Amino acid sequence: MRNTSCGVRDDLDTVGRFLNPQAVNGSRHAAYHSFLQARGLPLRDDLVIGGAEARKAAFANVTALAARMDRPTALFVESDLAAVTALHAFEEAGLSVPGDIAVIGCGNIDEGEFSHTALTTIGPETAHYDHFADHLISLISATPGAIPTLFSVSWQLVRRTSA
């Protein structure tokens, strides 16, 4: 089943969170908690796992999660890179994404778009930041007239096939 209002499966009963351990009290964790509350889903600390900061740890932790009898029906992942790794781990464990478990990443990197199961993600419309890099280089190189600038980049749900 699909929830057309937000593009995420509406048959979820447990949702795990895969994160960088330093992010436990950050805004992404707060958004995850709000998502669960809005749907009446439990916040289960045992389904909040670390390892999203490194691919080997990500693969090992997701493989362990996949082997659990009480694995979640969805997984929010701190980064798209770790989410793509989760897709590989679930496939190797014989699980179908999104059939057995939905996966949502964060960041909208190109690799997510071209994964075997294209990664649903939350992030900017594009991951190309040439204008930011050009501005930063101007500031670093002390280019005359370069002043600090605030860039606002809106994030959105990028609907693909993993959730």
Side-chain angles (χ1 to χ4, degrees):
M1 289 188 282
R2 296 279 173 189
N3 177 336
T4 56
S5 66
C6 70
V8 179
R9 289 170 45 164
D10 60 5
D11 60 340
L12 305 177
D13 55 16
T14 54
V15 181
R17 172 102 198 287
F18 189 36
L19 51 80
N20 178 326
Q22 290 79 23
V24 172
N25 295 316
S27 62
R28 290 181 187 175
H29 189 70
Y32 163 69
H33 192 205
S34 294
F35 174 88
L36 295 178
Q37 284 183 321
R39 286 153 184 80
L41 298 171
L43 174 62
R44 292 187 39 197
D45 289 333
D46 65 316
L47 293 179
V48 178
I49 59 173
E53 72 281 2
R55 290 191 92 167
K56 285 185 181 182
F59 192 87
N61 289 347
V62 171
T63 298
L65 181 69
R68 290 177 57 161
M69 295 300 293
D70 66 339
R71 73 176 169 266
T73 53
L75 185 64
F76 280 127
V77 184
E78 178 74 15
S79 73
D80 276 359
L81 199 55
V84 168
T85 303
L87 294 174
H88 294 296
F90 287 137
E91 181 178 10
E92 189 169 290
L95 297 176
S96 167
V97 174
D100 295 317
I101 187 165
V103 177
I104 300 174
C106 190
N108 195 22
I109 64 170
D110 289 342
E111 188 176 353
E113 182 178 0
F114 299 106
S115 295
H116 173 62
T117 300
L119 181 64
T120 296
T121 187
I122 301 165
E125 186 175 344
T126 180
H128 302 288
Y129 299 108
D130 298 346
H131 57 290
F132 299 130
D134 291 343
H135 182 71
L136 184 58
I137 290 168
S138 294
L139 290 174
I140 292 170
S141 64
T143 301
I147 59 171
T149 302
L150 176 64
F151 291 94
S152 178
V153 179
S154 63
W155 282 39
Q156 61 191 5
L157 176 66
V158 180
R159 295 180 180 128
R160 297 192 183 112
T161 56
S162 70

